[in-house]
Amino acid sequence: MSEQTGGQPQKRWLKTAAKYLAVFCAAAALMLALLLGAALIPREANAGNMRESAEYLAGSALFPLAVEGVEGSRIDRYADAILLNIGWNYDAEHPFRSAMLSAYYYSDWQNENDNLLDAVTKGEAANKQYLRYWHGSLAFVRPLLTVLNLRQIYALNAVVLSGLAAWLLALLWRRKERAAAAGVLAGMIAAAVWFVPLSLEYTWAILLALASSVLVVLRGDRLRDFCLLFLIVGMATAFLDFLTTETLTLLLPLLLLIWLRRKDAKARPVKAAWSSALAWGCGYAGMWTLKWVLAALALGENTLPYVVEYAGTRIGGSVAGVGPIQYVAGTVWRNVFCLFPMGWGVVGALAGLALLVAAAYYGYVYRRPGFDRRLLLTLALLGAVPYVRYLALRNHSYLHCFFTYRAQLATVLAIALILAELTERRRGDAPKRRKRA
């Protein structure tokens, strides 16, 4: 009897593991198929729009400021030029190898925008690889380039982002989750999402975070296994994102999931939070690993030393003229001061600090008894994840603070939910009426 009882958990564990492995393999196969399908598109099919896009980028600075003096408004044309350069060099006759190698034309005497233009107009051959990323966004960008140029794709992304954001806010408002809606809106304002569609690099993680959040709000009461959803979202993040705000695809939907299910004792939202985070991490790490394995198979060589060297630079690389203490503190400080309104001059910084003080005052003075301490701790820990990421990848976060700062959208949402939990009116906590004199 005891042997049978002991065997049941092991059977369930094996069954669950098999289910997750099957979902991982199916999702990975679908993503790879989409990328290979894009690679099969003949170069001639998007030559016209690619030329227009290359000319547009060549006429722009690599990292222009949309608003003078505001670091959080800096647009990354450098990454977009490389992405299009890789897409231009996909080989329809060898789709798998070219997609895994991710080669593009590079020269060290001019910037990447001009390199792209030379590749498109002068036929310069690819001479450098970028295999450490999936560059999965080309599964969408390359087909779009058959009918749209880059500026039109930017406009399309703006429409999609606005639609998803409006949909998410409307869903939360209909469910009378005003605090969550206010937190999402405040987070999007702080992250200055109006600049996001101006660069392909910025777009994918934000769109994925919004889309998965919409799904969580729509299906939150019906989905039984959220871990499968977060597994797929983690995979899609590694596939699409260029290491920008990857934690947002975990944190935004997860914070909303916890909040929507906070009063359901059977749902065990705090426990579900950590299991969902683990599933997301497995999907994210597994998809990265799969890319390096497939690249090694396609090229017939070990790609790990190249990947390890790059990872070492991003984790512990130095910045010229910056001391160790300044480096660590500055990594967080620079990201915080890219937020709106913090990075918009002295007045903006004072306004941002005033908002933080007001939030702390409101939470302290109007807190009510009966709040869930475990829930608060979970929200606080999730809200702190972006800063852990900044410190873990301090080289990347220090140099690229002008887009990594948007991960703090989730932090702003977490703060709003913490304030709501602290001040939410409980049963029997009605305001006392004044006695008549």
Side-chain angles (χ1 to χ4, degrees):
M1 189 74 175
S2 61
E3 288 181 5
Q4 291 179 354
T5 305
Q8 288 301 320
Q10 186 177 6
K11 272 189 175 181
R12 284 198 298 269
W13 186 89
L14 290 173
K15 188 176 180 181
T16 301
K19 179 176 70 172
Y20 277 74
L21 181 60
V23 170
F24 180 92
C25 292
L30 175 61
M31 293 177 200
L32 180 59
L34 289 172
L35 190 58
L36 295 181
L40 285 169
I41 297 173
R43 179 181 287 184
E44 296 75 19
N46 55 31
N49 285 319
M50 185 67 84
R51 184 184 183 107
E52 290 179 13
S53 303
E55 290 172 348
Y56 169 69
L57 288 176
S60 172
L62 280 180
F63 299 99
L65 288 172
V67 178
E68 191 64 34
V70 177
E71 187 65 13
S73 74
R74 193 174 294 281
I75 310 302
D76 193 343
R77 304 293 192 212
Y78 173 88
D80 284 4
I82 292 178
L83 183 73
L84 294 191
N85 203 331
I86 292 170
W88 177 252
N89 283 286
Y90 272 5
D91 185 356
E93 294 183 2
H94 303 92
F96 180 66
R97 190 179 192 281
S98 62
M100 294 301 101
L101 182 59
S102 302
Y104 65 103
Y105 170 65
Y106 169 80
S107 66
D108 57 7
W109 60 84
Q110 58 186 7
N111 66 42
E112 295 297 350
N113 298 356
D114 293 323
N115 289 337
L116 171 63
L117 186 62
D118 284 353
V120 174
T121 60
K122 298 180 180 178
E124 297 288 356
N127 56 8
K128 188 173 183 177
Q129 54 81 11
Y130 214 151
L131 61 81
R132 60 181 176 269
Y133 291 99
W134 272 99
H135 306 286
S137 60
L138 284 170
F140 304 99
V141 173
R142 209 160 188 268
L144 284 173
L145 283 168
T146 63
V147 292
L148 303 173
N149 62 34
L150 182 60
R151 297 180 72 179
Q152 292 166 336
I153 294 175
Y154 287 157
L156 176 63
N157 285 342
V159 172
V160 174
L161 189 152
S162 300
L164 285 172
W167 192 7
L168 177 59
L169 292 172
L171 287 172
L172 290 170
W173 197 262
R174 280 186 61 186
R175 292 189 59 152
K176 297 183 179 180
E177 295 291 355
R178 309 291 167 78
V184 171
L185 180 59
M188 289 192 294
I189 293 172
V193 294
W194 48 86
F195 296 127
V196 168
L198 300 178
S199 175
L200 294 178
E201 181 191 22
Y202 301 166
T203 306
W204 311 110
I206 302 291
L207 292 183
L208 184 57
L210 289 172
S212 55
S213 297
V214 166
L215 184 58
V216 161
V217 178
L218 277 175
R219 307 288 297 179
D221 300 327
R222 299 171 189 170
L223 277 178
R224 292 182 179 179
D225 193 347
F226 278 97
C227 291
L228 283 176
L229 170 63
F230 281 97
L231 175 75
I232 296 170
V233 171
M235 295 174 66
T237 304
F239 182 70
L240 293 169
D241 186 52
F242 210 54
L243 207 60
T244 58
T245 54
E246 69 287 342
T247 57
L248 193 57
T249 67
L250 165 67
L251 298 176
L252 185 59
L254 185 54
L255 285 166
L256 292 175
L257 173 62
I258 294 169
W259 185 252
L260 294 175
R261 308 184 92 188
R262 69 193 184 281
K263 295 178 181 177
D264 185 354
K266 294 181 180 179
R268 294 182 293 179
V270 173
K271 182 179 179 181
W274 302 118
S275 57
S276 297
L278 177 62
W280 183 94
C282 289
Y284 186 73
M287 201 64 181
W288 275 96
T289 304
L290 180 62
K291 172 59 169 70
W292 303 331
V293 170
L294 291 178
L297 292 174
L299 304 177
E301 61 182 77
N302 184 13
T303 59
L304 191 59
Y306 167 73
V307 173
V308 170
E309 180 183 359
Y310 171 78
T313 299
R314 286 309 184 202
I315 293 171
S318 61
V319 177
V322 178
I325 296 177
Q326 183 186 355
Y327 191 12
V328 173
T331 298
V332 175
W333 189 257
R334 283 162 62 87
N335 278 275
V336 169
F337 269 82
C338 279
L339 288 169
F340 179 88
M342 300 289 283
W344 293 62
V346 176
V347 174
L350 292 175
L353 292 173
L355 286 171
L356 288 174
V357 171
Y361 175 83
Y362 177 79
Y364 179 75
V365 173
Y366 294 98
R367 73 188 186 281
R368 297 178 182 275
F371 52 81
D372 189 333
R373 295 180 184 277
R374 288 185 65 203
L375 176 62
L376 289 180
L377 178 60
T378 301
L379 294 174
L381 289 174
L382 291 176
V385 166
Y387 306 107
V388 176
R389 189 272 196 198
Y390 295 152
L391 294 174
L393 298 176
R394 58 184 179 275
N395 179 268
H396 182 271
S397 303
Y398 187 99
L399 295 175
H400 299 121
C401 61
F402 54 88
F403 61 74
T404 59
Y405 80 93
R406 292 192 176 92
Q408 294 169 99
L409 189 163
T411 306
V412 175
L413 173 59
I415 291 172
L417 298 181
I418 288 170
L419 290 176
E421 174 62 19
L422 281 172
T423 60
E424 188 177 44
R425 193 178 298 280
R426 314 292 168 184
R427 288 183 182 180
D429 192 26
K432 295 180 181 179
R433 296 180 180 179
R434 294 181 179 178
K435 294 181 180 180
R436 293 183 181 180

